[in-house]
Amino acid sequence: MKRFTAGLFLFIYLVANTELHQVMRLPVFFAHYVEHQMCTPEISLIEFIVLHYFDDDTDKTDYLRDQQLPFKKANCPEVSIALDLPPEEFPESKGQTFRLSKKRIIFQSVFNSSSFHFSIWQPPRA
């Protein structure tokens, strides 16, 4: 059950935050290919792909239908993280304010020099 739930959450995440949801439009792709084959029986799948993905098709009669094809337009999801920092002064209900004290914490590196550690890297003496 845990494996199924993890897989379900992974699938939901990938569909919502990547272009994986475009794969769900593949039936539209094949249906539109069949529509083109009815109008032009000699069109191959490669010609169909070139026609719809590599040529300029803004002035075609089926432009709105073409926009329903998978990977036709990019829907890049945007992830925004908002960080709300508290203000430096907080007003109190009585009209008084107080300031936050800013403490700077400086970490001092403790370095103990030892001649033993440096003697390891000395060249051999004759």
Side-chain angles (χ1 to χ4, degrees), residues 25-108:
R25 292 185 181 184
L26 282 177
V28 175
F29 176 83
F30 292 114
H32 193 56
Y33 175 62
V34 170
E35 292 169 6
H36 273 273
Q37 274 194 325
M38 287 181 187
C39 296
T40 315
E42 65 273 357
I43 192 169
S44 68
L45 183 63
I46 301 298
E47 291 172 344
F48 175 78
I49 292 172
V50 168
L51 177 71
H52 285 87
Y53 289 98
F54 297 107
D55 288 344
D56 183 30
D57 59 349
T58 56
D59 57 346
K60 293 184 181 177
T61 56
D62 62 345
Y63 176 75
L64 294 176
R65 179 75 169 149
D66 291 348
Q67 294 304 310
Q68 296 173 353
L69 293 174
F71 304 106
K72 191 65 175 175
K73 51 186 173 180
N75 297 334
C76 297
E78 181 181 324
V79 177
S80 298
I81 298 174
L83 182 61
D84 191 18
L85 298 174
E88 290 185 21
E89 295 183 1
F90 291 100
E92 288 196 10
S93 61
K94 298 177 184 176
Q96 299 173 350
T97 59
F98 65 94
R99 288 186 66 79
L100 291 176
S101 63
K102 292 183 181 180
K103 293 182 182 178
R104 293 185 184 224
I105 301 172
I106 300 173
F107 294 100
Q108 298 176 356

Side-chain angles (χ1 to χ4, degrees), residues 3-14:
R3 187 174 222 157
F4 173 75
T5 306
L8 180 66
F9 282 141
L10 178 65
F11 177 75
I12 291 171
Y13 172 78
L14 289 175

